[in-house]
Amino acid sequence: LDQGSITDHSTPLYSLSSSSDFVQHIHDVLTPPQQFALPQQHSHKEGKQKECFEFLKQSLILLRKTHLEPQIAAKAELHGRVQLLTKRRDRQVTELLSLEEEVEEVDMAGQNLMMRLENVEERCHNMIESVERVLGQITMSSSVLSDAEKAMARDLQSIQEQLSSVQRLLHEAE
């Protein structure tokens, strides 16, 4: 069944539900058609049996056409709709479970990234403190610096500036 059959207005169920005058419909069903004659009173037993048999046969045909066939069609239509909606529900349940798993995975990945960021910030802070200590020790230890010491001090200063810029970038990333 495709999705269009759910709103199909030519189905037996829809035609029964949209009848404007239910009482008239019941009257029409219960009134026998003109060619459908009740058996006459006969004195002849065989003719009476034949007429009764014809009456029953016509009654069954009428019952089958007016009631049973539409009910069978309506039942088949309902069964098809139930199957379609069951498949749709099962697919939605599967998608919902998949989305819940993805949310859990994203949450765990976010927590992992947060822990890594905290670790990187701590390391950066420790490195800055180490550079500042070394720089302070160098400047205090000797008032006259050699060229190598001056170059080392410049290198330490540039490392400190780089670490400061990395720290600013980390704060911006938060």
Side-chain angles (χ1 to χ4, degrees):
L1 260 180
D2 61 339
Q3 289 183 348
S5 66
I6 291 178
T7 57
D8 190 4
H9 298 297
S10 64
T11 62
L13 280 179
Y14 188 84
S15 63
L16 284 177
S17 69
S18 65
S19 64
S20 60
D21 190 7
F22 184 71
V23 174
Q24 183 63 38
H25 173 70
I26 296 298
H27 182 316
D28 292 345
V29 168
L30 295 176
T31 305
Q34 298 300 333
Q35 79 268 14
F36 194 64
L38 294 174
Q40 303 293 324
Q41 295 290 338
H42 285 293
S43 59
H44 191 268
K45 192 174 186 180
E46 189 177 302
K48 187 175 184 181
Q49 286 178 345
K50 190 174 185 179
E51 230 178 281
C52 283
F53 177 73
E54 279 299 314
F55 176 76
L56 286 174
K57 185 176 170 184
Q58 290 176 357
S59 297
L60 286 174
I61 291 170
L62 178 66
L63 177 66
R64 187 174 295 128
K65 286 183 180 177
T66 58
H67 295 289
L68 295 179
E69 289 175 0
Q71 285 180 354
I72 290 170
K75 182 179 177 183
E77 181 183 341
L78 282 175
H79 181 69
R81 288 181 184 187
V82 166
Q83 285 181 334
L84 176 70
L85 293 174
T86 301
K87 287 178 184 177
R88 194 179 292 169
R89 183 202 63 209
D90 292 344
R91 186 174 58 243
Q92 289 174 345
V93 165
T94 303
E95 289 173 2
L96 184 63
L97 292 174
S98 172
L99 288 174
E100 287 175 354
E101 289 175 4
E102 287 179 22
V103 165
E104 289 176 7
E105 289 173 5
V106 167
D107 191 36
M108 289 181 71
Q111 290 174 358
N112 189 15
L113 284 175
M114 187 60 129
M115 288 174 33
R116 286 182 179 179
L117 179 64
E118 290 172 359
N119 190 12
V120 166
E121 284 178 343
E122 185 179 328
R123 286 182 181 176
C124 183
H125 181 69
N126 290 341
M127 290 176 87
I128 289 174
E129 286 180 356
S130 295
V131 167
E132 287 175 351
R133 252 189 321 224
V134 169
L135 190 59
Q137 288 175 357
I138 289 175
T139 55
M140 291 176 109
S141 66
S142 99
S143 55
V144 177
L145 299 175
S146 68
D147 289 336
E149 291 173 333
K150 289 180 184 177
M152 191 165 120
R154 281 192 301 267
D155 289 342
L156 285 175
Q157 184 64 33
S158 68
I159 290 173
Q160 183 179 9
E161 290 171 1
Q162 290 174 354
L163 286 174
S164 295
S165 67
V166 168
Q167 189 175 20
R168 271 186 271 121
L169 289 174
L170 284 174
H171 286 293
E172 289 175 10
E174 288 179 3

